[in-house]
Amino acid sequence: MTAVDGDQVASDSYDARALQDKWQARWAKENPFTASEDPADDRPRSYVLDMFPYPSGDLHMGHAEAFAIGDVVARYRFQLGENVLHPIGWDSFGLPAENAAIKNGTHPAEWTYANIETQAESFKRYGVSLDWTRRLHTSDPEYYRWNQWLFLRFFERSLAYRKEGLVNWCPQDQTVLANEQVVQGRCERCGSEVARRSLNQWYFRITEYADRLLEDMEQLEGNWPERVLLMQRNWIGRSTGADVDFTIEGRAEPVTVFTTRPDTLYGATFFVVAADAPLADELCTPEHRADLDAYKEQVARLSDIDRQSIEREKSGVFLGRYAINPVNGERIPVWAADYVLAEYGHGAIMAVPAHDQRDLDFALTFDLPVREVVETGEGDPAETGTATPGEGRLMNSGPLDGLAKGEAIDRIIEVLQERGTGTASVNYRLRDWLLSRQRFWGTPIPIIHCPDCGEVPVPDDQLPVKLPDNLRGADLAPKGVSPLAAAADWVNVECPACGGAAERDTDTMDTFVDSSWYYLRYCSPHTGDAPFDVDKVAEWGPIDQYVGGVEHAILHLLYSRFFTKVLYDMGLVSFTEPFRRLLNQGQVINQGKAMSKSLGNGVDLGEEIEKYGVDAVRLTVLFSGPPEDDIDWADVSPAASLKFLNRAFRVMVEAGAATAPGADPSQGDVALRKATHQALDKITVAVEAHRFNVAVARLMELVTAARKAIDSGPGAQDPAVREAAEVIAVTLSLFAPYAAEEGWERLGHAGSVAIGNWRTPVPELLTQESVTCVVQVSSKVRDKLEVAPDIEPDELERLALASEKVQSFIGGKEVRRVVVKAPKLVNVVVA
RNA sequence: GGGGCCGUAGCCCAACGGCAGGAGGCAGCAGGUUUAGGACCUGUACAGUGCGGGUUCGAAUCCCGCCGGCCCCA
């Protein structure tokens, strides 16, 4: 039925597979979506980017949605005639490749690059308007050497540093885990219980940028989803309060605690240090040592989330020591507990049980005193078991008595400062970014450890520090230290500083480092002497539209923002925020649930494309609802999309057969012309507002109007039909590129429909000779009038009151008021 | 516990505070066309916007409280 003769597809019905083959080959030859670097090219530039994929196999439904959405944005910019940068690459370092290599006795690169090739072919088939000349893979040495270069610049600025600290440790995978990889205290990958372990690890000092990460959100307001900004704010968790120094009996230096409620200082009745902080060990008296050690073992098995959960029974150990409250000299017991985190604040708190629920729970569990210092008008917490964190006048607080919260905070900070025992302070929930990983398939950290010189950076001219290529399969199996440690030839090197025997750092970087700056590399992907060409980044950056899943709301997006600010401080980029606008697409689910093997409800993208074709799958994804909503595949119909594509295609074919390009539309049917231009206007507005489902609905209406014009109107030879068909081809190109390209060709045009063909509606065709005015009597619709769009309100009111129907409903009652919203509505309010 | 988002026909979804004869679509029903199936064309029924208040000439839309679902932070 389908005759493919060389480049020509003969069928007059829409044949998805034939068109895919034909146009994919054409695009591959002509590269219509390559960004221009010609200095003489003065078209406006735009940069549209989807979050790059991890090569975990072939593309799946999630990619289909994200890239369909990003492609509409990019293709719209192409249609407007802009010089668009729309690149692609792969986030190709990571643990799955390593696990596959261990299982198969191979090298992670084999699995990784095979998957990348598969995905690349799938992207081409999917018809995404990508610039293939800028393709990058983060696992290429040409890419990851710049991770190392950037690390060294961070190191020079003290933004990369190594410290001993408690980390999440998975005993099964034998590696540290990032916080996001710990779910309910268990390793998300293997399900084993995560332990806390103290290790010497590398960190990026993101906390130094906490305030700027907060302040610069102003630039993103209105352009990023509000909930992402909210999540980042919460994650950073800035809180203001005071640092207060408590003297500890038998310790020379006082211990500082951070509190958001320094006004309640007189209500502190005990003192708590994090059980796993070094301070707990230090303060513990010999007779309590055994208790503490046992307790610590128990605590090490809990996640931070569990530890802070209010529902949990409070636990702790008295350390046999006393602290002195700096304002009233009171001697209060020092406890170690797990509900205080070693990393938050200073790892110690003053406990005010009357006004903090967790402190109160602890006090009631261990029979510690509770003293109210804020008069809240609620019941005594010691009796009710409910702390009163609200506001009120201070009491039992010496000089603070009678003050309100704000006044009391200001006053107590003054007092503390005068005595030199405290100061106003800001605390953050955000912690420094732990970047070491005991994994193989990542970027080696370019540091050499020398017994004499310490941490010595690998000189720039020795970058990249490449991964050794002689490790395979079992060599990569987890053994508690990085697999790189086993590569003796690789590890043992001369110290670049003194020439003595030294060893390479054997950890690799968190793969979030790779994705924190890849969008800059796309501007000059082949630059050999720098991570990116500063001038090119100035020309293209920042990204106008970024598209990706909300699961990256905090990590990737926060890290990228951090990197951009550091690079700004280094003078390498001219902007402080990398992504001007952000769109979070929803998930593709099935039958109300996330797709999973165990549920057996997976939908395979390749199979859907086999059945319905690329255009229909893309159209289904875009038409199903707003892009940020989840799509339940059980609720949508790719078959219906295919049906629509057939209708649209036939209109283009029939119009193409009946008239030639250049037919004067002003000679055509006015009613259809109006429908065409109104559809064009509405589609434009909807696309710009990212309401792609609405844009498709308007396009469907236009196809129906064109169909009627052909069948029971002026006929296919009318120039207005051609105009409609051309607008259909141009607008359809955003959603269903194969059908649009073929339709455009059938309409007699050479070249791709996709570039620079968007049209501006003719204003005269958007106005209507008359509009329907609704006339209400006391807000109920009683009559309708056909009036001129520019009718004067006075005239409209006169006409409305002259209506017989309206008069009959007024029925002699008093007209209290007449609301006139010309030309659409009149409301006659009667008594 | 705190904060946020969302509830519109059987289903997915539209609707600058102004006609819900719902924009569009799915599934349904009835015709037409087709050798048949499918495809195609035409026409249709179905909700009064989760519940209760409030503001307003007028509320799906704004405000308050409840119910249900989802998300973030504790």
Side-chain angles (χ1 to χ4, degrees):
Chain A
M1 191 181 83
T2 302
V4 180
D5 179 14
D7 195 48
Q8 287 307 305
V9 176
S11 171
D12 280 350
S13 66
Y14 170 76
D15 181 337
R17 191 154 334 157
L19 297 189
Q20 283 163 211
D21 290 345
K22 170 178 170 178
W23 288 97
Q24 207 176 299
R26 190 80 68 85
W27 293 328
K29 200 168 70 188
E30 293 169 5
N31 297 312
F33 307 113
T34 306
S36 164
E37 294 286 0
D38 181 355
D41 189 334
D42 59 358
R43 292 176 297 164
R45 292 186 177 213
S46 55
Y47 187 175
V48 179
L49 188 65
D50 285 88
M51 290 181 187
F52 64 170
Y54 179 79
S56 59
D58 202 351
L59 299 184
H60 51 66
M61 293 305 297
H63 294 116
E65 187 186 13
F67 281 88
I69 289 166
D71 205 34
V72 174
V73 177
R75 283 179 175 273
Y76 178 60
R77 311 313 305 186
F78 277 115
Q79 283 289 26
L80 292 178
E82 297 180 359
N83 186 9
V84 182
L85 177 57
H86 189 206
I88 186 71
W90 276 269
D91 187 15
S92 50
F93 267 143
L95 197 53
E98 206 164 321
N99 289 340
I102 294 163
K103 195 170 146 199
N104 303 325
T106 57
H107 192 277
E110 290 179 30
W111 183 89
T112 300
Y113 287 92
N115 284 343
I116 288 174
E117 281 317 308
T118 303
Q119 292 196 350
E121 286 313 303
S122 292
F123 273 125
K124 287 173 183 169
R125 179 178 61 169
Y126 202 55
V128 187
S129 62
L130 295 168
D131 180 346
W132 286 96
T133 66
R134 294 167 187 264
R135 173 173 172 174
L136 60 80
H137 320 118
T138 59
S139 53
D140 291 349
E142 298 75 44
Y143 185 88
Y144 71 72
R145 72 173 290 179
W146 301 112
N147 282 343
Q148 295 170 338
W149 187 90
L150 288 165
F151 175 93
L152 293 173
R153 302 293 86 77
F154 278 49
F155 181 72
E156 286 162 6
R157 297 174 163 256
S158 296
L159 291 172
Y161 67 97
R162 211 156 72 116
K163 75 166 182 197
E164 184 83 13
L166 286 167
V167 296
N168 301 304
W169 178 263
C170 174
Q172 175 73 33
D173 287 346
Q174 302 269 302
T175 182
V176 299
L177 297 174
N179 283 343
E180 79 275 12
Q181 292 171 308
V182 183
V183 180
Q184 309 280 352
R186 291 177 177 274
C187 173
E188 62 155 5
R189 202 174 298 282
C190 64
S192 38
E193 241 178 64
V194 170
R196 308 282 287 170
R197 198 179 255 210
S198 189
L199 287 174
N200 199 3
Q201 303 276 285
W202 287 95
Y203 293 83
F204 280 143
R205 210 181 293 278
I206 190 171
T207 52
E208 194 167 309
Y209 283 74
D211 274 328
R212 286 168 65 185
L213 287 165
L214 280 173
E215 286 159 14
D216 288 350
M217 273 184 221
E218 207 175 292
Q219 297 176 45
L220 309 176
E221 212 66 64
N223 297 317
W224 278 36
E226 191 50 48
R227 62 174 179 152
V228 173
L229 296 177
L230 188 68
M231 281 161 77
Q232 292 215 352
R233 268 189 209 100
N234 289 339
W235 186 265
I236 294 166
R238 184 182 199 270
S239 51
T240 55
D243 278 342
V244 183
D245 299 335
F246 278 71
T247 302
I248 308 285
E249 288 181 357
R251 189 180 199 263
E253 288 292 309
V255 171
T256 304
V257 301
F258 173 79
T259 174
T260 57
R261 294 295 303 272
D263 54 316
T264 63
L265 190 47
Y266 283 85
T269 54
F270 57 102
F271 191 95
V272 187
V273 299
D276 47 356
L279 189 62
D281 278 327
E282 186 202 315
L283 295 184
C284 188
T285 53
E287 52 270 35
H288 296 276
R289 174 66 53 192
D291 288 351
L292 179 63
D293 287 346
Y295 183 60
K296 276 166 61 183
E297 205 162 301
Q298 181 190 326
V299 170
R301 286 196 291 269
L302 293 169
S303 71
D304 288 0
I305 292 172
D306 289 338
R307 288 174 58 166
Q308 293 179 97
S309 166
I310 292 195
E311 282 84 49
R312 255 183 74 246
E313 189 92 343
K314 284 285 174 289
S315 61
V317 174
F318 178 50
L319 296 181
R321 291 261 203 170
Y322 290 86
I324 308 300
N325 186 328
V327 289
N328 57 12
E330 222 168 54
R331 206 165 161 260
I332 59 177
V334 177
W335 286 66
D338 62 4
Y339 77 97
V340 174
L341 301 182
E343 295 84 1
Y344 181 85
H346 307 281
I349 62 151
M350 64 177 207
V352 183
H355 308 296
D356 182 285
Q357 190 62 47
R358 287 169 307 173
D359 293 346
L360 181 62
D361 292 343
F362 193 86
L364 294 176
T365 303
F366 295 104
D367 213 14
L368 294 158
V370 177
R371 184 193 309 137
E372 279 188 286
V373 290
V374 180
E375 180 58 66
T376 60
E378 294 161 56
D380 181 358
E383 314 268 311
T384 63
T386 304
T388 54
E391 304 206 9
R393 297 280 160 190
L394 273 288
M395 56 195 268
N396 297 329
S397 296
L400 304 183
D401 281 353
L403 296 180
K405 177 180 168 185
E407 302 164 343
I409 289 174
D410 292 345
R411 181 77 193 102
I412 195 72
I413 287 171
E414 281 172 30
V415 169
L416 292 168
Q417 264 165 347
E418 279 165 21
R419 299 189 190 171
T421 54
T423 178
S425 173
V426 178
N427 194 55
Y428 300 90
R429 212 187 72 92
L430 181 72
R431 300 182 201 165
D432 277 340
W433 171 8
L434 173 88
L435 72 109
S436 311
R437 292 291 181 274
Q438 290 73 47
R439 295 175 179 176
F440 172 76
W441 194 230
T443 306
I445 291 173
I447 291 288
I448 290 166
H449 298 283
C450 171
D452 297 323
C453 312
E455 292 160 356
V456 181
V458 173
D460 283 358
D461 61 12
Q462 290 174 28
L463 299 181
V465 177
K466 287 196 195 177
L467 288 168
D469 55 13
N470 56 347
L471 299 180
R472 292 275 182 297
D475 301 337
L476 306 175
K479 38 182 102 57
V481 291
S482 170
L484 290 175
D489 293 352
W490 184 86
V491 169
N492 296 307
V493 290
E494 279 182 10
C495 169
C498 69
E503 293 188 351
R504 290 193 189 281
D505 197 296
T506 58
D507 284 348
T508 54
M509 297 183 200
D510 182 2
T511 55
F512 278 111
V513 175
D514 314 2
S515 53
S516 289
W517 65 281
Y518 77 107
Y519 45 89
L520 301 171
R521 182 76 182 168
Y522 281 137
C523 298
S524 58
H526 310 297
T527 295
D529 57 358
F532 50 85
D533 182 322
V534 171
D535 295 330
K536 294 293 179 195
V537 167
E539 286 168 20
W540 290 110
I543 287 154
D544 295 290
Q545 180 67 59
Y546 201 32
V547 178
V550 73
E551 65 272 18
H552 293 109
I554 292 170
L555 292 149
H556 163 57
L557 291 169
L558 193 68
Y559 295 153
S560 297
R561 296 183 58 222
F562 163 60
F563 257 62
T564 302
K565 289 172 204 308
V566 174
L567 294 169
Y568 175 85
D569 290 349
M570 291 167 65
L572 297 179
V573 302
S574 56
F575 42 87
T576 53
E577 285 294 336
F579 312 120
R580 276 203 179 108
R581 298 183 79 192
L582 173 68
L583 176 62
N584 286 135
Q585 87 280 1
Q587 304 283 300
V588 182
I589 61 173
N590 192 21
Q591 294 156 332
K593 295 191 175 71
M595 295 183 199
S596 76
K597 274 193 184 135
S598 57
L599 287 172
N601 68 341
V603 176
D604 184 77
L605 175 59
E607 285 172 21
E608 296 301 297
I609 289 175
E610 276 298 303
K611 273 191 266 183
Y612 308 106
V614 166
D615 284 341
V617 169
R618 292 174 57 132
L619 197 66
T620 301
V621 155
L622 295 164
F623 181 57
S624 72
E628 46 282 307
D629 284 9
D630 286 351
I631 300 171
D632 192 329
W633 206 249
D635 292 337
V636 297
S637 173
S641 299
L642 183 55
K643 217 162 92 176
F644 165 72
L645 288 168
N646 261 300
R647 284 159 53 80
F649 188 73
R650 281 200 317 278
V651 166
M652 294 186 283
V653 167
E654 289 170 39
T659 54
D664 182 4
S666 68
Q667 302 303 307
D669 180 71
V670 175
L672 179 58
R673 294 205 71 203
K674 288 196 165 198
T676 300
H677 286 261
Q678 269 154 23
L680 179 57
D681 184 51
K682 287 175 173 171
I683 291 168
T684 304
V685 169
V687 167
E688 290 192 351
H690 296 161
R691 285 149 59 227
F692 308 127
N693 55 327
V694 177
V696 173
R698 299 293 161 260
L699 178 53
M700 288 173 166
E701 288 179 289
L702 177 57
V703 169
T704 300
R707 180 79 258 153
K708 279 191 175 150
I710 292 171
D711 290 347
S712 54
Q717 76 295 334
D718 190 291
V721 169
R722 162 162 290 273
E723 184 182 40
E726 293 191 350
V727 167
I728 289 167
V730 170
T731 55
L732 185 64
S733 75
L734 308 190
F735 317 112
Y738 291 109
E741 291 288 10
E742 183 68 15
W744 189 244
E745 190 174 272
R746 295 304 184 91
L747 281 159
H749 296 284
S752 174
V753 69
I755 312 292
N757 278 314
W758 204 259
R759 302 189 184 181
T760 308
V762 173
E764 299 83 69
L765 291 169
L766 295 179
T767 61
Q768 292 163 315
E769 279 99 54
S770 70
V771 296
T772 305
C773 176
V774 175
V775 185
Q776 301 174 326
V777 177
S778 290
S779 305
K780 290 204 170 59
V781 179
R782 299 304 189 188
D783 198 7
K784 285 167 191 180
L785 305 169
E786 287 299 312
V787 299
D790 56 353
I791 190 167
E792 291 296 325
D794 289 354
E795 171 69 0
L796 185 60
E797 178 174 344
R798 198 185 57 72
L799 282 175
L801 289 171
S803 153
E804 267 179 46
K805 287 182 193 166
V806 169
Q807 280 303 327
S808 78
F809 279 101
I810 292 172
K813 280 176 264 187
E814 182 200 346
V815 176
R816 281 207 178 154
R817 181 176 170 184
V818 182
V819 179
V820 182
K821 298 277 176 180
K824 292 179 74 179
L825 179 126
V826 175
N827 187 9
V828 181
V829 184
V830 299

